[in-house]
Amino acid sequence: MTEFIQLVLAGTANGCIYGLLALALVLIYRSTHIINFGQGEMAMFSTYICWSFLNAGMGYWVAVPLTLILAFAAGIAVQRILIRPVQNAPELTIVIVTLGLYLFFNSLALWIYSGVPKPFPLPTGIRQASWQVGDIFIIPYHLFIFAVLITLMAVLYVLFQRTKLGLGLRAAAAQPASSRLVGINVNWMLALGWGIAAAAGALAGILSAPVVQLEPNFMATILIFSFASATLGGFDSPPGAVVGGIAIGNIVALGGRYIEFIGTQLDIVLALVVIVAVLLIRPAGLFGRQVVQRV
């Protein structure tokens, strides 16, 4: 039982990271109906930027907010420069553009930073030592990840439900034509959605880096788990993305331990199984809305 609880705690912490990146995927999909295959590499490159700030002597609590601001600006730039010109093009064109983002940021990181793994520090004030409660060991950094996720969800709830900006973002995503008629600048609302998603993705990368060493491909596997999280929770449901992330984190942790042939080498198969199963049984996800078209 102790081992099971320990696995659930670790799986929940990892799931929070998957949920964060899945949240970024969902925010873009809700606003533009685009699945951004470059989201993980955008997060990876933002994490390298943060590492550069830290390596230059900047404090953690200055470097991280600055990185998130830059990621937000980069997300807006990507939407305005690359996505907006093709937003009415066939879906395959948009998929190719996002795959191009993946290759661009991956190659750029490899060119600038090389492929040598780099250690990423824990947040200032977070202890490396674990706390023992009975036979259970609780890692403070895992609690920090969970707290960050809860805080971000609360901020996004207030933004989307209690502010005029959030109302504009939701209206532009749901009814772009009607939004234009009432004076909402839909193009800028969509760009802001990309900026928020890029910042959320960057936060996922920064939280992941101390656990897995920083290198150009470190977000690739996390991106697949995040796709599974968004698929499970529903691509039009931000809370569903987070719940799906925690579920995937625990499925991977428990499956890798108790399914003998899976282990730690084939745990990605569990994510792929979840994706296929959800698409076959409930394509909209657990929290997504099923779209019914009348003929």
Side-chain angles (χ1 to χ4, degrees):
M1 188 62 182
T2 298
E3 181 186 46
F4 177 83
I5 296 174
Q6 205 73 61
L7 288 169
V8 167
L9 292 174
T12 300
N14 291 333
C16 288
I17 293 173
Y18 306 153
L20 269 175
L21 192 59
L23 181 62
L25 294 169
V26 166
L27 288 173
I28 288 179
Y29 183 80
R30 287 188 72 191
S31 61
T32 59
H33 297 286
I34 293 172
I35 296 177
N36 183 14
F37 291 95
Q39 193 75 61
E41 300 310 280
M42 291 172 66
M44 173 273 297
F45 195 79
S46 296
T47 308
Y48 266 113
I49 297 297
C50 187
W51 177 85
S52 298
F53 289 149
L54 294 170
N55 202 44
M58 189 177 293
Y60 185 94
W61 300 110
V62 176
V64 171
L66 181 57
T67 300
L68 297 182
I69 292 171
L70 292 176
F72 176 79
I76 292 177
V78 165
Q79 195 279 335
R80 300 291 290 180
I81 297 171
L82 297 177
I83 302 301
R84 185 185 175 192
V86 299
Q87 63 185 5
N88 296 319
E91 292 181 359
L92 182 59
T93 301
I94 300 173
V95 168
I96 291 173
V97 170
T98 63
L99 289 173
L101 282 173
Y102 178 101
L103 295 174
F104 172 75
F105 282 108
N106 186 274
S107 300
L108 187 62
L110 189 61
W111 176 52
I112 297 175
Y113 297 102
S114 80
V116 178
K118 295 173 173 57
F120 197 93
L122 289 172
T124 305
I126 301 296
R127 301 190 314 165
Q128 291 185 341
S130 58
W131 300 326
Q132 186 171 0
V133 180
D135 294 329
I136 307 299
F137 289 92
I138 299 175
I139 300 175
Y141 187 58
H142 289 175
L143 298 179
F144 175 76
I145 293 173
F146 186 71
V148 168
L149 178 62
I150 294 298
T151 302
L152 178 62
M153 290 300 294
V155 169
L156 290 178
Y157 175 81
V158 172
L159 172 64
F160 285 111
Q161 300 293 333
R162 305 298 183 189
T163 68
K164 290 183 178 180
L165 176 61
L167 181 61
L169 288 166
R170 291 165 56 201
Q175 297 290 339
S178 300
S179 299
R180 288 187 177 95
L181 292 176
V182 297
I184 295 175
N185 191 327
V186 171
N187 287 326
W188 270 107
M189 290 297 105
L190 298 181
L192 287 175
W194 272 76
I196 294 170
L203 188 57
I206 291 169
L207 293 175
S208 304
V211 181
V212 291
Q213 284 191 316
L214 180 60
E215 51 92 15
N217 296 308
F218 90 103
M219 288 297 289
T221 302
I222 295 174
L223 180 63
I224 295 176
F225 289 139
S226 298
F227 273 128
S229 304
T231 304
L232 178 60
F235 262 97
D236 61 351
S237 173
V242 174
V243 173
I246 294 174
I248 291 295
N250 281 284
I251 289 171
V252 170
L254 296 174
R257 176 64 182 90
Y258 295 117
I259 301 177
E260 188 172 342
F261 71 92
I262 295 292
T264 58
Q265 302 300 317
L266 294 177
D267 54 3
I268 199 170
V269 173
L270 294 171
L272 298 177
V273 168
V274 170
I275 291 174
V276 173
V278 172
L279 292 177
L280 289 175
I281 298 170
R282 186 177 171 82
L286 297 178
F287 298 90
R289 291 173 294 179
Q290 192 76 38
V291 177
V292 178
Q293 294 183 344
R294 294 182 179 179
V295 180

